[in-house]
Each structure stands twice: as C-alpha cells, then as structure tokens.
C-alpha cells in the first residue's frame, strides 16, 4: 500500500466537493534500473524512482486531470482542491467508503531488481557483446541495455473501488554495427516480458546477439528495395505491427469517440477480409502487454476485435464508454500518473490460419518478403499508416531472391485489411512500446505470416 | 519546489559525497504544465501537471553512475545515493568525467510572467475559440482529435562538489490543432501549432487560416508516380529532416562509431548552401539556456560552414575523447544519464522567398508532412524511407495534393542536393530552426 485508504477517501471527498459525477485517484511508486553497454564496457547506469498521483474528475463528459508529486495528506488535498476548482459554485458533500478489490493475478513475481547485483546484470550484456563480435570481425560496435521496472499502483474511485497492482517488466536490447570499407549498417534485437529479472537467465542471449549481428552484416551487403505497389508477405511476430498501426489505433475509443477514426460506425460490419480474426488479449500470463487490471481498476479482458472480417468490438475505456454507450473492455492505460488514461492496446494479434510460409512464398511471382520489422505510426482519422522494415527479400518466381534494406511500407488501414488474402499457421508475438496521448505503454504485437496482395513499398525509384 | 529546498539537498548530498571520496553533480528540474481542449464547444480535457525530479551523477575515478528520484523524502534520496554507489562498482569508463570549474553565466530573459498571470478563464476561452473557429472555417472540417491550448514552465538547478552552481527558469505557451477534413470519399489531416512566449501574442485567427488552407488543399488529391522529384521542404518539415541529420553530429555517436559523419571533420559533407550552428542565445527560441547540463556556460558553435563540417557537438567527456573543444552541449534530464544534445540547431537563412521556391523548377513536390521517423530512419547509415504527404506544383501553380507516397534516400545525399535555401525561418518548440529548403532529385515511391 503506497498511501492509506483513509487518505485516499479524504482526497476523493475533497475532489467531489465541486459536484463532479466521478472522481478517481491513481497513485504510483515506480522503480526502474537500466544498465547501458557500449565500447565493451558499462557505458552508463541509471536507477530511480517515479512517485506521484493523478486525480481525475468527470463532469458529464468533461475531464479534469491534476497531478502532484506530494503524496502527503496536505499535498493530495491541495491537488484535489485544484481539480475541484474547475467548477466553481456550491459545495457538495459526498462521502466515499473504499472496498479493496480482490482478483487472481496472472503474474508470477520472481527476483526483484534490487535483489540482483549489478555485476550479474553486467554479465548478460557482456555475453551479448561477445556473441555479436565473434560472429564476424566486421562487427565494429555492440550496444546493449538491460532494463527492469517495478510499477506499483494504487487506484481508488468515488464508486468505492480500491485496487492495488504490481507490474514487473524486464527487457533486453542489443544493437550491432557492422562496418566494411566505410559503409555501416546496423541490426537490432529486443526481448521483453512482464516478468522479474530472473527472466534474463531463461533467454538465449547468445542466439539473440548472433541474430542481431547477422542482421547488421546482411544489411551491409543488401541492395535498396524497389519502389512501387506489389504483394508483400509479412513475417510473423513483429510483423503484427501492421495490424497495430493499420487497425489497432483506429479501434481505440480515444479516436472513435471523437469521430476521428476510419472505423467509426462500423460495429458488426465487415472491415476486413473474411480470413482475418483479430484479438486484443490482456490476460496472457507474463506477456509484455498483459495487465491484471487496467489503469481505471477494471479487470483486463480478452477482447475479440474482428471475427472472420466483421468488426465486433472497439477498445473501450470509461470515458469512451460513456460517450459511446459501450461497456469498458479493461483497456484503459497510461504510462504513469502524469497522464490521464485512455483506451490502448495490450497484446494484439491476428489469429492463425492454415497456410504455410513456404506455400505463400511459392505463390508469389514478384513481391517482397518483409522478414523483420521496425516500428510504425498511423493517423487514425485518415487510416494512413506506415512501418519500417529492417530485413527484407525480393520474391521472384516463388523463391526468395536478393536481400534489400531501407524500406517503409505504407497504406491505409481500412483498405489493407481487405487486402490480407492469406493467413499463416505460425503465430508469434513480439514486444514493443506504443506511444499515444496517454504516454508510452508496453504492448505486444503479433501475427502469423500474412500475405497482403498489394502494399506500397517505399524503396528507391529506378 | 523552491531554491532553498534544492540548496538544502545539495549541501547535504555534496557533503556526503566528499566524505566518501566521491565527486557529485546534482540536477533538479521542476515543471508545471496546463492544458485545455474543447471538442465542438464542449470542454474535453482540462489538465494541470506539476512535477519535480532530483537527479545525481556520482563519480569516482573513471566510473560514473546516475540515479534519480521524484520523491524528496530523506529515505528515497538516500536510496538513490546508495543505488548509484552500487552501480559504481560495475561502471568502468575509459575516460574521466571531470566536473567543471565554477562558471559565470550570461543572464537570459527566458521567463515571461504574463503566462502564469493570465487567468485560467482566459486560457479556457482561447482554447474554446480555437475549436469554434476551426469548425466554423469550413464545413468539410469534421473532427479535430488533437486541438487545444497548453502552457509550460520549468526551473533547472545544478550544483556540484567542484563548486558549479546555477539555475534558470523558462516558460512558453502554444495553440495546436490537427483538423480532419472530409469530402466525398477523401479524407485529409494536417497539423499546425503556434508557440509564443507571451499569452497575448497567440492568434487563433492566424493559426486557423494557416491549417485550414493546408488541410482543405489536401482534399484535392491526384496520383503520383514513382520516380525522382525536385522537392520543396517547408520549415515545419525541414525540422524533421534536420533532426535526423543531427543525430550524426553528436560526439557520442561519433566516438561509438555509429555516426555516418564519423571521420569527416574538415570535409565538405553537404551542399555549400548549408551553414549550421548551435545557438543557445537565439532570440525567442525555446531551446535557449545560459548553461548546459554540466553547468558549462553556453556558447555558439559553428558546426557546418558553407557545407564543410567544422566540429561535432560535445560535452566535457566526449570533447576529451575526440580531442575537440567542449562545445557546451551536455544534455540530460534528472532522469537520464549524461549525453549530448542541441540547444537551438539553426540553419542559416538564404535569400529565396517561399513563393519563389515554388517556381524553382517546372515541377516541384512540396512536402507537407512526414511520418514514421522513428522507424524509417537508420541513424547508423543515414538511410531513410518515410511516409509523406504533399502538394504538386507546376510552374509555380498548385496542381493537386498527393498522399500515400514514400520518400527514400540517404539524409546526407539529400542535403548535398539542397540547391536553394529560403528566407523564412520558423520558430516552434522544436530544437531545429530552419527556413525552407529546395532539394533536387529525391526518390519517391508512389501508387
């Protein structure tokens, strides 16, 4: 417990004095620790604590949000008073009695970051460095970082909810730079789970580092991708960033409720090819994007977004639900107390189909196999999305041909969903960080291999 | 957070560090933000944030560790010191990180009292006016997912065991809007912002006119074929292009062998039309400051002169490592370890008006928006592939808007092909200040 329930009750009652319909306090105490490696040594270390509270009030559909780092009774009452001052006038009196929420956690907590020595954490990074460099002498630089976060939250609202949750994240990143005759290229690998630090002992760090080095070496020799519209076969795992950008953000009530999504007014209507079923699942144990409860205290859910091409659900937070007359889906998230929560994704993936990757390649005369993706972005209002590709191959006559680099794939969400024509049987998930108006949150993207019959490939013009 | 509190903390921690034979730097940041947003005349969001964070850098011989805390309670502050001490055991720098000698700083007027003195009612009123004016501007504007008013103020304080001490305050305010327009089956978005130092200098009318014209013009869409185009980069887009290029000017990237400009000092790297400097004293710019994050007194640095690379930007650590002058570009927040960053990166203006650049070639592709910068740029090679939207001009006349295309290439080659520089520098909260740029032969992947 970060602060006492009686202090929370007093702050909620002070917030409600303005006549707000609803009041909520989100308290956070978060520890992070990160070691960065470069030039074959620890380059920097950073450990620290974020601690504060956000008070949110609803006046109908108007939202007031005030934050403070002063968690004393005086500090919270001052913040509550500042929030309540939004609506001047008669003082209202409402009492709040909080009742703790109990739930079964889907997480297993292990070694805490401060219980593992920095020396042991350094060893993980040393192993990554050695594995990268012994792959090839052209590897001229290896950077790596190990980061752990323990986010403790406490949430209370005027409906009497009192919830606590502890979230542990561990992530490892490796970047390799290959150099030859003045040319440079890079490779990247990342892993992450909602797990404590002992997770690093279960990771094949050497394999991860070797893959990173091979990506850099391959990009050194790769030619530039062609430009134009063509069939694109997207690899499984992080290839799911296409759905995340093309569709996921457009299904958040963050956009839909403002009439700023191409998927407005499309519930129970076809928005994708019939082979597409997509899910946003917050309940996968220990997965990077999972949560026990969301940042409004609602239990996390498994939400079917699209079923055989038909839109079945949006991702709904409390205010989005109020505006649209929908039930929340446990999707309210925020980076920290500094942000008001909005509906966001969790672990979002396209469900597997029946095709094999080999057959899908064989059926393409000329196109692109996008094997490894970078991130992307989208304008939900127009549906225009993009994502970067780190490793790709031209497909000619049903076979993988030359390796290419330096390419973005672009399209519009509502069009590309209808152009997914084949869905593979090899679902995989991959961790990422998603940025939006409620800050950066850990999410997982995922899919099996997918064939999109036409995407604009932003390579070099001939 | 007042200065007395920082003084008390810094005295206690400096004493603790000296007793243990350590060197210490404290950096404290306090900030406040206020924002409000209307949607169709109804208040949508009203937010007030206050933050504080204390960060320390602890040094012993060649080892350095960083820690931070938003809680200033004694137990938490002692905890951050202990955490940094533990990390010192594994840190093993190959260069020393000297704390600088005490410096004197040029007084800069960066804080404008009128913003905090403006009543909340007036701030709500301007946000409401922006919302109502935007939707009244044209019936084809149907939504504005991002729109509103915000203001921000911060105070930075630094103290070290070597005697450096300093602090400054700065603030600003801005209006922003991202309207969505629809006509038949076409939809378009555009983004506009207006940052000022005084509340009274904000103009809803000016912002609405600017973004209304751009977003409505984007509805008149036509095709674009793949090929090479002569491109006009307006300042708002030039900021993004130059921020990508700027990653290679960072001394840390050069030292780590991950800069595409490594080993190029004294050589022509971009077109002779381009002169770039880091300028912490640029009038009315939001990146201005009297000292950097190590407490080094600010200085102007000529980075590129007529296309020739003079220097990288450095802090004390990387100046020594690269055998260069310390350009006073140490950058960190209390929540980060010591790095390098720009104050205001200024591309010197040329003589061409924007209208004359529309006529620079028989066909000119004007870039209006670039997306996907975090994913479509390789900071090691300089290669880029970015989603874009823009307008095609023929003989200086608007032809149609274009969307769903990608510009690709290498950022150094693009800047080598800048054949003309505008006379229209643009100030916003972005660290880059640039006029329009006309670049030849940019690869476009169209539909």
């Amino acid at each position: 417990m970060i602060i006492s329930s009686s202090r929370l009750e007093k702050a909620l009652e002070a917030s409600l004095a303005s006549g707000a319909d609803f009041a909520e306090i989100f308290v956070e105490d978060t520890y992070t620790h990160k070691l960065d490696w470069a030039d074959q040594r620890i380059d920097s270390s950073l450990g620290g604590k974020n601690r504060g509270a956000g008070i949110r009030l609803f006046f109908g559909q108007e939202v007031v949000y005030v934050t403070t780092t002063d968690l004393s009774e005086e500090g919270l009452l001052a913040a509550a008073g500042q929030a309540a001052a939004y609506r001047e006038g008669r003082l209202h009196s409402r009492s709040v009695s909080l009742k703790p929420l109990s739930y079964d956690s889907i997480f297993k907590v292990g070694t805490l970051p401060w219980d593992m020595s920095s020396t042991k954490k350094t060893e993980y990074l040393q192993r990554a460095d050695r594995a990268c460099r012994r792959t090839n002498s052209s590897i001229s630089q290896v950077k790596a970082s190990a980061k752990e976060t323990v986010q403790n939250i406490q949430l209370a609202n005027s409906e009497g909810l009192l919830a606590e949750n502890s979230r542990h994240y561990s992530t490892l990143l490796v970047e390799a730079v290959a150099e030859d005759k003045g040319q440079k290229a890079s490779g990247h690998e990342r892993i992450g789970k909602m797990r404590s630090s002992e997770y690093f002992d279960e990771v094949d760090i050497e394999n991860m580092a070797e893959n990173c080095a091979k990506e850099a070496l391959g990009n050194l020799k790769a030619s530039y991708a062609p430009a134009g519209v063509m069939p694109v076969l997207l690899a499984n795992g992080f290839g799911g960033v296409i759905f995340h950008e093309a569709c996921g953000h457009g299904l958040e009530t963050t956009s839909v409720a403002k009439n700023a999504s191409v998927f407005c007014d499309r519930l129970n209507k076809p928005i994708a090819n019939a082979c597409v079923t997509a899910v946003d699942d917050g309940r996968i144990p220990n997965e990077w994007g999972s949560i026990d409860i969301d940042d409004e205290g609602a239990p996390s859910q498994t939400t079917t977004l699209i079923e055989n091409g038909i839109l079945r659900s949006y991702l709904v937070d409390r205010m989005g639900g109020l505006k649209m007359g929908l039930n929340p889906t446990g999707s309210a998230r925020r980076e920290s107390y500094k942000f008001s929560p909005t509906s966001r994704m969790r672990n979002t993936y396209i469900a597997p189909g029946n095709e094999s990757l080999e057959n899908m390649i064989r059926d393409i005369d000329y196109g692109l196999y996008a094997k490894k993706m970078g991130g992307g972005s989208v304008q939900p209002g127009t549906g225009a999305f993009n994502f970067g590709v780190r490793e790709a191959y031209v497909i000619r006559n049903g076979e993988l041909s030359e390796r290419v680099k330096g390419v973005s794939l672009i399209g519009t969400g509502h069009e590309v969903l209808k152009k997914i024509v084949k869905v593979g049987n090899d679902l995989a998930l991959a961790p990422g960080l998603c940025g939006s108006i409620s800050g950066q949150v850990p999410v997982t993207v995922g899919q099996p291999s997918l064939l999109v019959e036409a995407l604009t490939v932003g390579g070099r013009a001939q | 957070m007042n200065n007395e509190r920082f003084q008390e903390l810094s005295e206690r921690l400096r004493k603790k560090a000296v007793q243990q034979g350590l060197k210490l730097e404290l950096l404290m940041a306090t900030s406040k933000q206020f924002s409000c947003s209307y949607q169709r005349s109804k208040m949508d969001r009203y937010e007030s944030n206050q933050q504080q964070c204390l960060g320390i850098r602890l040094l012993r011989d060649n080892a350095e560790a960083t820690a931070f805390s938003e809680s200033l309670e004694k137990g938490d502050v002692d905890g951050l010191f202990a955490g940094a001490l533990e990390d010192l055991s594994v840190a093993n720098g190959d260069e020393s990180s000297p704390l600088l000698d005490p410096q004197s700083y040029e007084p800069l007027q960066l804080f404008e009292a009128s913003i905090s003195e403006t009543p909340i009612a007036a701030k709500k009123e301007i946000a409401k006016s922006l919302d109502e004016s935007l939707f009244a501007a044209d019936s084809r504007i149907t939504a504005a997912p991002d729109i509103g008013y915000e203001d921000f103020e911060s105070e930075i304080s630094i103290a070290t065991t070597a005697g450096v001490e300093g602090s400054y305050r700065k603030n600003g305010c801005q209006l922003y809007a991202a309207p969505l327009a629809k006509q038949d089956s076409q939809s378009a978005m555009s983004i506009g912002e207006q940052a000022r130092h005084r509340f009274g200098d904000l103009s809803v009318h000016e912002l609405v006119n600017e973004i209304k014209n751009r977003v409505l013009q984007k509805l008149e869409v036509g095709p674009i074929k793949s090929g090479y185009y002569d491109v006009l980069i307006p300042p708002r887009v030039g900021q993004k292009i130059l921020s990508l290029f700027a990653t290679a000017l960072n001394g840390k990237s050069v030292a780590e062998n991950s800069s595409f400009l490594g080993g190029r000092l004294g050589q022509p790297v971009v077109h002779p039309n381009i002169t770039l400097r880091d300028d912490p004293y640029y009038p009315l710019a939001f990146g201005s400051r009297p000292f950097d994050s190590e407490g080094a007194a600010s200085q102007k640095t000529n980075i590129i002169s007529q296309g020739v690379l003079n220097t990288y930007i450095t802090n004390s650590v990387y100046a020594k490592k690269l055998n260069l002058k310390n350009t006073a570009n140490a950058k960190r927040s209390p929540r980060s370890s010591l790095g390098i960053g720009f104050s205001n990166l200024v591309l010197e203006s040329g003589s061409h008006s924007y209208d004359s650049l529309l006529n620079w070639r028989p066909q000119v592709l004007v870039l209006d928006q670039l997306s996907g910068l975090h994913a479509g740029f390789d900071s090691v090679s300089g290669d880029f592939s970015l989603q874009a939207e823009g307008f095609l001009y023929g003989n200086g006349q608007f032809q149609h808007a274009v969307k769903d295309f990608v510009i690709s290439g290498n950022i150094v080659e693009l800047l080598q092909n800048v054949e003309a520089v505008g006379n229209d520098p643009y100030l916003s909260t972005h660290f880059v200040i640039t006029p329009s740029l006309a670049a030849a032969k940019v690869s476009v992947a169209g539909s």
Side-chain angles (χ1 to χ4, degrees), chain A residues 54-58 62-67 82-83 86 258 334 336-342 437-439, chain B residues 32-37 43-51 120 123-124 149-152 176:
Chain A
I55 296 178
R56 190 167 66 138
L57 302 183
F58 288 3
E62 299 172 5
V63 179
V64 173
Y65 194 69
V66 172
T67 68
Q82 200 181 350
Y86 166 73
K258 290 178 185 171
R334 60 181 109 191
S336 71
Y337 72 89
K338 299 178 179 95
F339 297 88
S340 180
T342 58
I437 63 167
S438 61
Chain B
K32 291 183 196 173
Q33 296 95 30
F34 172 77
S35 64
C36 60
S37 162
M43 169 67 74
D44 181 55
R45 273 186 310 110
Y46 174 104
E47 296 192 7
S48 172
N49 289 303
Q50 295 186 60
Q51 298 174 34
I120 296 286
K123 297 175 183 178
K124 286 166 69 175
Y149 164 86
E150 66 182 19
D151 59 48
F152 38 88
Y176 60 94

Side-chain angles (χ1 to χ4, degrees), chain B residues 156-262:
Chain B
I156 306 292
S157 304
I158 190 168
T160 76
T161 48
V164 165
E165 287 185 353
S167 70
Y168 65 90
R169 289 172 80 192
K170 59 198 304 189
N171 67 352
C173 56
Q174 69 174 356
L175 295 171
Y176 60 94
L180 173 68
K182 290 186 180 175
Q183 180 170 278
D184 302 325
S185 62
Q186 286 298 332
S187 61
M189 270 188 91
S190 204
I191 300 167
E193 60 188 25
Q194 186 188 89
R196 296 288 184 267
H197 289 279
R198 285 196 210 95
F199 182 83
D201 291 343
L202 292 169
S203 168
V204 166
H205 174 77
E206 190 182 303
L207 180 62
V208 167
N209 266 350
E210 184 225 320
I211 50 177
K212 171 195 88 171
N213 291 337
R214 274 197 282 119
V215 75
L216 294 178
Q217 217 174 27
K218 278 176 142 180
L219 290 172
E220 300 172 49
V221 174
I224 186 164
K225 289 185 188 169
S226 297
Y228 286 87
Y229 288 77
D230 296 316
V231 162
L232 176 55
I233 306 170
R236 283 177 301 102
V237 178
Q239 288 177 331
K240 294 186 176 183
I241 298 272
L242 285 166
S243 68
L244 299 181
F245 178 74
T247 60
L249 298 171
N250 184 312
K252 187 171 194 283
S253 300
V254 174
E256 289 174 351
N257 201 31
S258 51
S259 162
F260 49 84
L261 292 178

Side-chain angles (χ1 to χ4, degrees), chain A residues 219-283:
Chain A
N219 281 337
L220 208 54
K221 298 175 186 136
S223 45
Y224 288 109
V229 180
M230 64 190 72
V232 176
L233 180 56
L234 298 163
N236 63 353
F238 206 73
V241 72
I242 184 175
F243 183 81
H244 178 99
E245 301 299 351
C247 186
H249 280 296
L251 297 183
E252 295 165 345
T253 51
T254 309
S255 304
V256 181
K258 290 178 185 171
N259 197 32
S261 164
V262 293
F263 300 112
C264 290
D265 302 318
R266 302 294 302 172
L267 267 182
N268 298 314
K269 292 178 184 166
I271 64 164
N273 210 337
C275 58
V276 177
T277 290
V279 176
D280 184 83
D281 189 351
R283 303 288 304 166

Side-chain angles (χ1 to χ4, degrees), chain A residues 29-30 32-36 38-39 41-52 61-71 82-83 85-86 116-120 122 140-141 143 175 177-179 184-186 188 219 224 226-229 245 254-255 258-262 323 337-340 374-377 379-390 405-412 414-415 437 456-462, chain B residues 38-39 42-53 64-71 73 76 80 83-84 86-95 124 142-146 180-182 187-191 218 226-228 252-262 318 321 332 334-338 369 371-376 378-381 383-389 403-410 413 443-447:
Chain A
D29 188 316
T30 294
T32 60
H33 184 261
K34 185 169 174 240
L35 286 178
D36 286 317
D39 291 333
R41 58 177 175 81
I42 291 292
D43 181 55
S44 64
S45 67
L46 180 68
K49 181 178 271 236
N50 290 315
R51 185 178 164 97
Q61 293 182 6
E62 299 172 5
V63 179
V64 173
Y65 194 69
V66 172
T67 68
T68 180
T69 49
D70 185 350
L71 300 186
Q82 200 181 350
Y86 166 73
M116 183 185 285
S117 71
S118 294
T119 306
K120 183 157 169 125
T122 301
S140 58
Q141 174 66 272
K143 294 185 193 177
E175 178 188 344
V177 177
E179 191 171 355
K184 291 180 188 170
S186 60
H188 303 80
N219 281 337
Y224 288 109
V229 180
E245 301 299 351
T254 309
S255 304
K258 290 178 185 171
N259 197 32
S261 164
V262 293
K323 287 180 177 177
Y337 72 89
K338 299 178 179 95
F339 297 88
S340 180
S377 63
Q379 272 184 9
T382 60
F385 72 87
N386 62 81
F387 55 97
V389 182
R390 291 208 177 112
K405 64 179 177 181
V407 60
S408 283
L409 304 180
I410 69 168
T412 50
H414 52 288
E415 289 173 4
I437 63 167
T456 301
V457 175
R460 301 276 178 108
Q462 300 306 306
Chain B
Y38 279 77
Q39 287 279 324
K42 289 186 184 170
M43 169 67 74
D44 181 55
R45 273 186 310 110
Y46 174 104
E47 296 192 7
S48 172
N49 289 303
Q50 295 186 60
Q51 298 174 34
Q52 67 186 15
C53 190
E64 179 175 322
T66 319
F68 68 91
S69 177
E70 290 185 339
S71 163
E73 291 174 15
D76 290 321
L80 82 92
E86 147 88 7
D87 280 346
L88 273 184
S89 65
V90 295
N92 183 23
D94 62 358
E95 69 283 322
K124 286 166 69 175
T142 57
D146 286 319
L180 173 68
K182 290 186 180 175
S187 61
M189 270 188 91
S190 204
I191 300 167
K218 278 176 142 180
S226 297
Y228 286 87
K252 187 171 194 283
S253 300
V254 174
E256 289 174 351
N257 201 31
S258 51
S259 162
F260 49 84
L261 292 178
Y318 286 90
K321 204 169 165 62
R332 78 178 188 98
R335 287 184 196 82
S336 69
S337 44
L338 184 65
Q369 205 161 303
S371 308
L373 271 70
H374 61 295
D378 185 332
S379 61
V380 170
S381 65
D383 290 337
F384 67 88
S385 180
L386 305 170
Q387 185 178 24
E389 296 181 0
K403 61 179 190 179
D404 296 339
F405 67 96
V406 176
I407 59 165
S408 297
N410 184 279
E413 289 169 13
S443 169
V444 167
S447 50

